[in-house]
Amino acid sequence: MMRTRPLKVALLGCGVVGSEVTRIMTTHADDLTQRIGAPVELVGIAVRRPDRVREGVPQELITTDATALVKRGDIDVVIEVIGGIEPARSLITTAFEHGASVVSANKALLAQDGAALHAAAEQHGVDLYYEAAVAGAIPLVRPLRESLAGDRVNRVLGIVNGTTNFILDKMDSSGAGYSEALDEATALGYAEADPTADVEGFDAAAKAAILAGIAFHTRVRLDDVHREGMTEVTAADFASAKQMGCTIKLLAICERAADGKSVSARVHPAMIPLTHPLASVREAYNAVFIEADAAGQLMFYGPGAGGAPTASAVLGDLVAVCRNKVAEATGPGESAYTRLPVSAMGEVVTRYHISLDVADKPGVLAQVATVFAEHGVSIDTVRQQGKDGEASLVVVTHRATDAALSATVEALRKLDTVRDVASIMRVEGE
């Protein structure tokens, strides 16, 4: 039976995403009613700049008092798309206290305070959904939290930032340098005026924390995620990658240890084989590769940002939360029963590609190989080129801990025959 009383929705923020949410709620109102089993009514939109022109947004719904809006008491669902830590955190907890469920796209807040927000939602018997916080329109949170709930996820490997993927793709396909590729990304609107959050990996790290927490049923905060940016990646790195049959991507990697007793989460540039599905992800697209015991290998692909794709994820959550309201139930909350420790980066095992500038004379390779052996790092392949007394030596290792590799590099720097450690890059996706 269709419920006639509408579910009332408040929207916090009306920028690119919020405007699209408003448009879809208006144009698809009848469809949303049928899917939910009750009509939904947008009753208020909180913004900072009320005089800004927002095409298709009813001016009578605009308010600058977000706190009063979430305190109304008759709000069923609050959609938060303002971002940042405060006032978003206070507004969400206030919404919970007044009986409203929350749909959020706030990756930074969820990565930092997800556990506390989940606890507050549970305390007040409401929902907290956040599909849009991880990869725009790509469904990841719900498949991990629900579809794979009966399976054991071992690894999540993904490209979760469109800006960085666009830049690296251009460097790979055209031979452009980092600055040139960044300028093109900025001109096309893929990069912000200040691209730090993207190119230094902060955005991807927040998403990695959220994904690791869901995948491994343990609490992973932003501070637990090892983060390296991509600003030091060069055209020479891509040339080396091509010689190995690889390309370079900025990856978010969440892994369960082989013994199952710990997990790790990290973001950094890495070489991946051209045969790996993630290698073919071009332009500003995102993709996430999941490895599970029973399901095997799964890949999710699509636009990871933008107004319409992100709004699609927000509306999907809105439908789910509203259905729960109609059924007088709540959906799955936080699952952190495993309480697994998060390994430091030094304990993480992976392969490495190291490029050395060395003296072109006999015995150098033997010296370098000895240093690797002394630190327990096994060499897979070596490539050497020399000319006019100078040479380059490229070493690809077998799997080793980051701590062992770091000690090896420090020892290499002390050799008189090693002029410079030109670059170090991890190799993933074997």
Side-chain angles (χ1 to χ4, degrees):
M1 179 181 294
M2 182 71 67
R3 166 176 156 166
T4 57
R5 184 178 71 81
L7 292 160
K8 296 185 178 181
V9 179
L11 176 63
L12 307 181
C14 199
V16 174
V17 176
S19 296
E20 279 295 316
V21 169
T22 302
R23 181 188 67 79
I24 296 172
M25 287 189 67
T26 302
T27 58
H28 296 178
D30 291 342
D31 286 337
L32 291 174
T33 297
Q34 294 300 318
R35 294 169 190 172
I36 292 167
V40 288
E41 179 185 0
L42 186 58
V43 298
I45 304 172
V47 300
R48 287 185 298 174
R49 297 187 292 274
D51 298 330
R52 179 180 172 184
V53 177
R54 298 173 175 85
E55 186 176 350
V57 177
Q59 187 62 33
E60 65 272 15
L61 297 182
I62 298 294
T63 177
T64 57
D65 195 342
T67 302
L69 179 60
V70 299
K71 281 184 173 181
R72 277 180 40 163
D74 63 339
I75 302 295
D76 293 289
V77 183
V78 170
I79 299 173
E80 183 270 311
V81 290
I82 56 178
I85 305 302
E86 288 292 355
R89 175 171 48 197
S90 297
L91 291 170
I92 289 173
T93 54
T94 300
F96 290 155
E97 292 165 0
H98 288 78
S101 291
V102 171
V103 172
S104 176
N106 196 330
K107 54 187 171 288
L109 178 58
L110 288 158
Q112 178 174 305
D113 292 320
L117 292 175
H118 273 293
E122 183 177 2
Q123 177 186 351
H124 295 286
V126 293
D127 281 321
L128 172 63
Y129 276 48
Y130 43 88
E131 185 67 70
V134 176
I138 305 173
L140 283 173
V141 173
R142 196 169 289 116
L144 280 170
R145 191 163 63 176
E146 299 177 28
S147 303
L148 295 173
D151 206 342
R152 175 187 169 101
V153 175
N154 296 311
R155 198 170 196 235
V156 179
L157 177 75
I159 299 165
V160 294
N161 183 278
T163 300
T164 56
N165 199 57
F166 180 89
I167 293 170
L168 292 173
D169 182 45
K170 290 302 174 184
M171 292 177 69
D172 186 24
S173 61
S174 69
Y178 167 76
S179 297
E180 184 182 350
L182 174 59
D183 289 343
E184 183 175 354
T186 303
L188 292 172
Y190 291 128
E192 301 286 346
D194 180 1
T196 302
D198 295 324
V199 300
E200 293 295 350
F202 291 100
D203 175 85
K207 295 170 180 176
I210 296 169
L211 288 172
I214 299 170
F216 307 133
H217 304 279
T218 199
R219 287 178 177 169
V220 180
R221 299 180 73 252
L222 181 58
D223 292 344
D224 296 321
V225 181
H226 174 82
R227 176 193 55 79
E228 297 174 25
M230 48 158 281
T231 57
E232 301 300 319
V233 177
T234 66
D237 292 325
F238 274 101
S240 292
K242 287 181 179 180
Q243 288 181 329
M244 291 178 57
C246 293
T247 188
I248 299 172
K249 299 292 186 181
L250 185 75
L251 298 177
I253 305 166
C254 312
E255 291 180 312
R256 188 191 300 270
D259 62 6
K261 295 180 180 180
S262 64
V263 300
S264 63
R266 50 197 163 99
V267 168
H268 54 70
M271 294 182 180
I272 58 172
L274 294 175
T275 53
H276 194 281
L278 290 179
S280 62
V281 178
R282 308 296 301 274
E283 300 284 331
Y285 278 81
N286 286 187
V288 176
F289 199 74
I290 296 174
E291 299 175 11
D293 277 355
Q297 298 178 334
L298 308 170
M299 187 162 124
F300 299 79
Y301 169 85
T310 305
S312 171
V314 169
L315 267 294
D317 278 350
L318 177 65
V319 169
V321 168
C322 286
R323 284 172 174 169
N324 292 341
K325 286 284 184 179
V326 170
E328 298 182 350
T330 56
E334 183 189 33
S335 174
Y337 70 91
T338 63
R339 297 182 176 86
L340 294 173
V342 182
S343 298
M345 188 60 196
E347 303 169 31
V348 172
V349 177
T350 189
R351 297 175 66 207
Y352 295 85
H353 175 283
I354 305 103
S355 180
L356 306 171
D357 293 335
V358 299
D360 187 13
K361 61 183 184 181
V364 173
L365 180 55
Q367 284 184 324
V368 169
T370 298
V371 170
F372 276 87
E374 288 174 346
H375 291 84
V377 179
S378 176
I379 294 175
D380 182 15
T381 62
V382 178
R383 186 174 69 252
Q384 184 174 13
Q385 294 177 321
K387 184 179 180 181
D388 299 330
E390 296 295 330
S392 63
L393 194 64
V394 175
V395 179
V396 179
T397 74
H398 288 292
R399 292 174 66 83
T401 65
D402 191 78
L405 194 282
S406 296
T408 303
V409 170
E410 287 304 308
L412 289 171
R413 294 184 196 276
K414 296 176 182 179
L415 292 178
D416 292 339
T417 51
V418 174
R419 309 290 192 229
D420 185 32
V421 180
S423 70
I424 304 169
M425 189 165 295
R426 296 174 180 88
V427 182
E428 298 288 346
E430 302 160 78

